[in-house]
Every structure is written in C-alpha cells, then in structure tokens.
Amino acid sequence: MHTDVLIVGAGPTGLALGVDLARRGVDALVVERADGLFPGSRGKGIQPRTMEVFEDLGVLDAIRAAGGDYPVGVIWQDGQRAGEHRMFDPAETTDDSPYTGPWMVPQWRTQQILFARLEELGGRVAFGREVTGLDQDEDGVTVGLGDGGSLRARYVVAADGGRSVVRRALGIGMTGETVDPSPTLVADLRITGLDRDNWHIFPPSGEGEGFLAICPLAGTEDFQAVARFPEGSTVDLSLDGIRGVVATRSHLAPEDVTEVRWASDFRPRAALADRFRSGRVFLAGDAAHIHSPAGGQGLNTSVQDAYNLGWKLGAVLGGGAPAALLDTYEEERRPIAADMLGLSTSVHRGEVRRGDATRQLGLGYRESSLTEETRTSAGPLHAGDRAPDGTLGEARLFDVFRGPHWTLVAVGVEAPETPDSVRVVRGETQQAYGTGLFLVRPDGYVGWAGDGTEAGPAAYLARFGPR
C-alpha cells in the first residue's frame, strides 16, 4: 500500500493531523498499534488556543457539547469542607480572544470527536497495525509492520507517544529531567458520595498519607482521581488497590468506588527530542516532547504541532510549495515545545500559576524564517503573531480564516491582487490589528505584514504560498 503521508499513532496529535490533511485532499493513512482508541481521560484540558484550532478543523461544536468548565476546587479536612481553591486565574472574553479558560473534555472523548471528523472527511485509521521499523530513501519511506507486511509513504509522521518506536528507529535522542520522582496514579472511576459541582482535594494527612484529588469529568458520569505516592512505591491499579487509596486519604468508604474504568501510573518528567525531523520523517506530540500533566500543556502543544505541520505538508504535496518549507516545522515548533516544557515543569513545582501563559494565546513565530515584517513601525499586531479574532467590516475574522487557505486582511489600506485561492477581507478599522496589510497563514498566524505601499504579499506567496 502506498500513501502520501503515513501517520503513526491515533492519539490527539495523529488524528488532528489526519483531519487537517484530509480537508486538504492529501492522501494520508493513520495506523494505530492498539485495536481501538485510547480509553482514558489523561489529557482533559483544552486551552483557548487549541479551541481556536478546533474551530478551524470543524470540531469545536462537538468539543463544547462534550465538555464543560473546570469546577471550583473544594479542600477537605477530616471529612469537612475547609476551603476553596481556584485552579486557574480568571480571564475575560474579548472580541479578539473568544475562548478564555481551559475547557474540560476527557481525552478519550476528544479522540472520538477527531476520529468522527476524520471519517467524515474520508480519512482512514487502520487499527491493530504495529510499526516495527522503517527505511528511507530519496523518494519515500518504507515502514515495516509487526505482521511482516510493509507500507510505503512519501512522508511519515511519528505521533506514537513518549516511547515512540519511530523516534527510536531513527536514533533520535531525548534530553530531559525527572520533574517529580514520586509515582502518580491517575484513574477514571465511578464514585458515590461526592458532588459533581466541585473538584475535591484531599491534602496529605499528618500520618504521612499522600495527596488525592478527585475531579468530576465534564460530560460523563466519571470522576478522574489523581494520587501521589512516596518515591519507590509500587502503585496497585486494581479495584481493591484504588479503593484502599481513596478510603485511606478521604472520608469515602471503599465501596463508594463502584468501578475502575481506566487506570495508569507514571512518574512526571519533561523531555525534548534532539530533533523533530530526520529526512522524510517528522516527530510530533509526545514523540517529540513529554510534559508533566500540570498546566495542561502536553495535549495542546501536540495538537498545535499537527496544525503547524499539516498545512506545510499539504502545500508541498498539493500546492506547489518547495520541499524546503518542511524545514520550518522543526524551526518553529521545537522552541515552542521547549518553552512549554519549562512552563509545565514550573506549574508542577508551584512556581507559576495557571493563567495567561498556559492559555497559549501569546505564542507565535516572530523569529521564524517564514515571518516577514516590512513596516518600520509595527502596530499592535506584528508578523509572526497569532492573528486575532474580531470584526472587520461586516465579517467575523475567524469565520473568514476557517478553512485550508491563506487570508489577506486589509485594514485602512487597499488590498492588492492575490491568487484566487487567497481569501481577502477589507475594512477601515480594527483595533487589534491597527492599519496595514496582514497575510494570515492557514494555521492562523501572520506570515507577512506591510503598510500597503508595496507588492509584498505576491512576492511572499510566490515563495511559500499558493499558486
């Protein structure tokens, strides 16, 4: 079997990339070692920037219907409510940023939604197909499978998690650190005796019992329990073992835990792949960067890897863009991943609160080789920044941006001619943009900005954009 892009791993990264490529008409196949989608809640926080990505990919309505806001934390002491804890600093909705705080959706549900969207677009996932190795040549990649078969692709994307088989086959190392040596349990449970309006927090007791938090999972009947253990402990993932942890660390009785739906244990660490690309193979998501779950950055950074790579693969495979465009994936995403790893670790250690930085709205690519700022005095928006939402003329900008195209935003200046595939929106004033021309990439970042007196958009598009 031959395909243009083979995506290894049907997690949020692989499925988001599959969706983006499918809507661009790129022939892509997702292969997954397991027989079905991941069953656990693990990455449950979707940050505002990822909500914007999901709006563009056509899944936001389903994501919003499947989840809810994070509840206020209640701190328990000796079976009594002893205080409240707000996990996230509040933020107000503005015209340029319609999504403010994180939205809770269990990871298994996010993956179901992306999978349904992929199938709707004609994309494919082959379950039960284990990748065991690969060989590259000038024209493509041959991927070996556990059943003795093989697949051939022009490009391969490794989205197969922190223990990535593809990354190891390429010989790409990871540099990192242990964030916390204490084993941590995370489990999806059915529980009686707790309300679903609060995140229930049980601090360590004086007898040395560790931390326990039990959070109602929005859109489900489940709770997610997280418990820390002393370094060197063995975590019992059985129903009886988890019942014992909950009963020992809270006022609940063992029988209040009626079912364990999924459970896992891990030791929080942070690691960054030495490279995000080797020839025709790219690393994305946990295969490229491993985060502490604190702050909810891992899944979000991973989806945005896919969003960055998707339009570039589409442009090279079907849009006439030079293959060198793919070099900018590592150039742009690796520094972002490094910054988000540092942020996740700082949140885990209590050094930084969950606020503006964790929302990921301020991330951008000002230093990228794809970024051209031609104005001598830029206004509030600079080339390389995220293109804000808002109204221009009678159009909502995110509605104009939605889809696999470039957009030229002309504020207070005339718009030059552009290829038919570039959408153009004009208006006299836009506070978040200022005055000028802004060429917005398919992933929602300003690639080129000018004052409207030059033919810059055409020259820029000739290098990177549509014909």
Side-chain angles (χ1 to χ4, degrees):
M1 181 183 293
H2 177 83
T3 186
D4 283 335
V5 181
L6 182 69
I7 303 166
V8 184
T13 312
L15 293 171
L17 179 58
V19 168
D20 202 10
L21 293 177
R23 69 176 182 156
R24 298 175 188 282
V26 174
D27 182 28
L29 174 66
V30 182
V31 294
E32 168 57 48
R33 179 181 61 181
D35 293 330
L37 296 174
F38 172 73
S41 63
R42 185 180 292 152
K44 65 182 184 295
I46 300 176
Q47 299 294 345
R49 178 55 186 154
T50 306
M51 296 284 279
E52 296 176 356
V53 173
F54 282 165
E55 180 174 358
D56 184 38
L57 296 180
V59 299
L60 182 62
D61 288 347
I63 288 289
R64 291 182 69 86
D69 290 317
Y70 273 71
V72 174
V74 169
I75 301 172
W76 290 85
Q77 293 282 0
D78 300 323
Q80 302 294 319
R81 294 173 180 249
E84 290 188 350
H85 172 72
R86 296 187 180 273
M87 186 75 69
F88 304 96
D89 290 338
E92 294 184 2
T93 300
T94 60
D95 289 341
D96 63 350
S97 302
Y99 315 111
T100 54
W103 190 249
M104 184 194 294
V105 183
Q107 182 174 324
W108 63 264
R109 189 71 185 99
T110 297
Q111 292 181 207
Q112 285 183 343
I113 291 168
L114 288 169
F115 178 60
R117 177 61 170 155
L118 179 60
E119 289 194 314
E120 178 185 20
L121 293 169
R124 301 167 291 157
V125 178
F127 291 103
R129 307 300 294 273
E130 181 179 8
V131 170
T132 57
L134 53 81
D135 291 302
Q136 298 191 59
D137 55 46
E138 291 183 359
D139 299 317
V141 187
T142 300
V143 176
L145 301 175
D147 61 7
S150 65
L151 296 169
R152 180 77 175 167
R154 294 175 66 181
Y155 294 99
V156 170
V157 180
D160 54 341
R163 297 183 176 90
S164 171
V165 170
V166 175
R167 186 189 67 238
R168 293 177 180 182
L170 294 169
I172 297 177
M174 293 195 89
T175 302
E177 62 175 326
T178 298
V179 175
D180 187 341
S182 301
T184 299
L185 162 74
V186 57
D188 296 348
L189 311 176
R190 292 285 172 88
I191 295 178
T192 61
L194 288 178
D195 70 74
R196 299 191 60 84
D197 298 323
N198 296 108
W199 191 325
H200 303 277
I201 302 168
F202 303 90
S205 70
E207 289 74 35
E209 296 297 339
F211 170 87
L212 171 68
I214 302 177
C215 178
L217 290 169
T220 77
E221 298 178 3
D222 300 344
F223 288 81
Q224 184 194 71
V226 177
R228 293 178 69 244
F229 295 82
E231 184 176 355
S233 299
T234 299
V235 181
D236 184 351
L237 301 180
S238 70
L239 174 59
D240 286 343
I242 292 173
R243 279 176 163 172
V245 170
V246 171
T248 301
R249 302 186 183 196
S250 75
H251 60 272
L252 298 174
E255 58 269 22
D256 287 332
V257 178
T258 61
E259 184 181 354
V260 175
R261 300 178 62 80
W262 168 82
S264 180
D265 68 304
F266 65 96
R267 287 151 185 78
R269 61 186 296 258
L272 182 68
D274 298 339
R275 291 175 289 150
F276 280 20
R277 182 183 185 184
S278 175
R280 290 178 171 268
V281 184
F282 302 86
L283 307 183
D286 287 354
H289 42 82
I290 301 170
H291 300 245
S292 158
Q297 302 302 294
L299 181 149
N300 294 274
T301 303
S302 299
V303 167
Q304 291 170 52
D305 289 345
Y307 196 50
N308 182 285
L309 184 57
W311 76 266
K312 295 172 182 178
L313 284 168
V316 170
L317 290 167
L325 176 62
L326 299 174
D327 293 336
T328 66
Y329 168 68
E330 178 177 316
E331 175 194 350
E332 292 186 339
R333 291 307 301 170
R334 194 170 183 275
I336 293 285
D339 288 346
M340 292 303 97
L341 283 171
L343 178 62
S344 296
T345 300
S346 294
V347 171
H348 187 106
R349 293 172 175 167
E351 300 165 351
V352 175
R353 282 205 39 97
R354 299 164 177 86
D356 287 342
T358 57
R359 296 183 184 104
Q360 299 199 353
L361 294 172
L363 301 178
Y365 306 118
R366 287 194 180 189
E367 304 304 317
S368 169
S369 61
L370 293 186
T371 298
E372 292 187 12
E373 174 58 74
T374 68
R375 297 169 295 174
T376 56
S377 179
L381 186 65
H382 192 284
D385 293 347
R386 159 191 165 272
D389 196 9
T391 301
L392 184 60
E394 298 182 355
R396 182 199 173 203
L397 288 169
F398 274 12
D399 289 341
V400 179
F401 297 161
R402 190 181 306 120
H405 56 264
W406 293 72
T407 305
L408 182 64
V409 179
V411 185
V413 298
E414 292 295 320
E417 291 188 8
T418 59
D420 292 340
S421 56
V422 176
R423 195 166 296 177
V424 179
V425 58
R426 304 172 178 85
E428 290 305 313
T429 59
Q430 220 304 319
Q431 183 176 1
Y433 283 73
T435 301
L437 292 173
F438 307 89
L439 191 58
V440 180
R441 301 172 5 170
D443 60 348
Y445 293 87
V446 178
W448 178 95
D451 59 17
T453 61
E454 67 287 280
Y460 181 94
L461 288 169
R463 294 171 54 205
F464 305 120
R467 300 293 187 263

